[in-house]
Amino acid sequence: MKVKKEKQENGAPLSKSALRRQREREQRLETILGAAQTLFAGEGYHKASMEKIADSAEVSVGTLYFYFKNKEDLLVKLLSQIGFDLRNMLGAAFKSADISMEGIREAGRIFFAEFCPHYPESIAIFFRESVGQSELVEAHRKKIFDKLIDDVRQALIRVCDNQGARFQSDLSAEVMATSIMGMFERIAYQYLIWQDRSEDLAVIGQDAVDFIIGGIERLFR
């Protein structure tokens, strides 16, 4: 989560010392977020105190509060980063296959074969630690899921248009997109959080994607 700001407010370029301080702030922010993610995923959100996060990030508690007003604020920032990364990965996978049904299949493969096994801490935070928290966290989590669902809905509509087909009803794309994200969440929870079945994810993911593709094709006319 890096914020680039290479000019002062008056438009003048920043000095070398100002650029260095900016880089240091950005690096410190990344370190804090990384420490929080590891602790939230490993110990659980409630057990990971601000003092533990500061100690893990090797910064003072005061520095931590300079960047984040509280632990809830940290969780919201992490959710934003995870949601951004996931949307980018799925979107790039879909576009790589020329906006076709193979793009839907590739996006599913990327989620199960790349995102889930390589980012287990993100999975734990997104699907477990952020659930049932404050109204603010829940509202933010819903916002991210709504964006993901809409991404999938729009992808389905584009595939349908490219194939010269149409959906069974005006709600078909929305229902299917919601179902797909629900499957992603449930399978990740079942085989990575409730069980440690990461070695089986390739097969599990293939079965899930085949099921999804079959459902999509059934709703095409």
Side-chain angles (χ1 to χ4, degrees):
M1 186 181 295
K2 297 182 179 179
V3 179
K4 299 294 184 181
K5 188 177 181 181
E6 299 180 352
K7 291 185 179 181
Q8 301 179 40
E9 291 183 359
N10 61 10
L14 294 174
S15 65
K16 289 184 178 180
S17 60
L19 285 171
R20 186 186 68 252
R21 289 193 298 271
Q22 180 180 313
R23 286 195 299 271
E24 290 172 350
R25 287 194 297 269
E26 292 171 353
Q27 289 169 0
R28 195 174 298 117
L29 174 60
E30 290 296 315
T31 300
I32 291 170
L33 287 171
Q37 177 165 291
T38 298
L39 286 170
F40 288 168
E43 296 187 2
Y45 174 73
H46 290 293
K47 290 183 179 180
S49 65
M50 292 291 273
E51 289 74 16
K52 285 184 178 180
I53 295 169
D55 183 63
S56 180
E58 298 182 342
V59 299
S60 69
V61 175
T63 297
L64 184 56
Y65 277 106
F66 173 79
Y67 285 93
F68 300 98
K69 58 185 180 181
N70 51 38
K71 192 168 66 170
E72 181 184 64
D73 189 30
L74 246 173
L75 180 57
V76 167
K77 294 294 191 301
L78 280 172
L79 282 174
S80 294
Q81 183 170 334
I82 294 167
F84 178 81
D85 291 342
L86 181 55
R87 291 182 70 202
N88 273 355
M89 288 182 71
L90 297 182
F94 175 64
K95 292 176 183 176
S96 71
D98 298 324
I99 314 176
S100 65
M101 191 68 81
E102 282 306 307
I104 301 291
R105 185 180 295 279
E106 179 63 9
R109 188 196 69 78
I110 286 292
F111 178 77
F112 292 111
E114 300 292 334
F115 191 80
C116 286
H118 295 156
Y119 302 95
E121 291 180 346
S122 295
I123 290 291
I125 291 170
F126 199 46
F127 294 129
R128 185 188 69 200
E129 294 305 317
S130 61
V131 178
Q133 302 300 342
S134 67
E135 290 184 6
L136 175 64
V137 172
E138 189 61 28
H140 196 71
R141 187 171 181 272
K142 179 182 180 300
K143 182 179 179 180
I144 295 170
F145 263 93
D146 285 346
K147 288 180 179 179
L148 284 163
I149 289 170
D150 192 58
D151 288 346
V152 177
R153 183 186 67 82
Q154 291 187 44
L156 291 169
I157 290 172
R158 294 174 74 180
V159 170
C160 188
D161 290 343
N162 284 347
Q163 292 191 357
R166 63 188 179 91
F167 279 109
Q168 183 172 294
S169 76
D170 292 339
L171 290 175
S172 293
E174 181 181 339
V175 170
M176 182 57 67
T178 303
S179 300
I180 289 170
M181 288 310 305
M183 283 186 64
F184 280 14
E185 179 180 19
R186 176 46 51 194
I187 290 172
Y189 212 105
Q190 178 74 22
Y191 295 108
L192 287 176
I193 296 175
W194 280 351
Q195 304 175 36
D196 182 9
R197 299 278 297 277
S198 54
E199 74 280 1
D200 296 327
L201 273 179
V203 175
I204 292 168
Q206 183 63 57
D207 285 346
V209 171
D210 286 344
F211 184 80
I212 288 168
I213 294 298
I216 294 172
E217 290 175 341
R218 284 290 302 274
L219 289 180
F220 275 0
R221 284 182 176 177

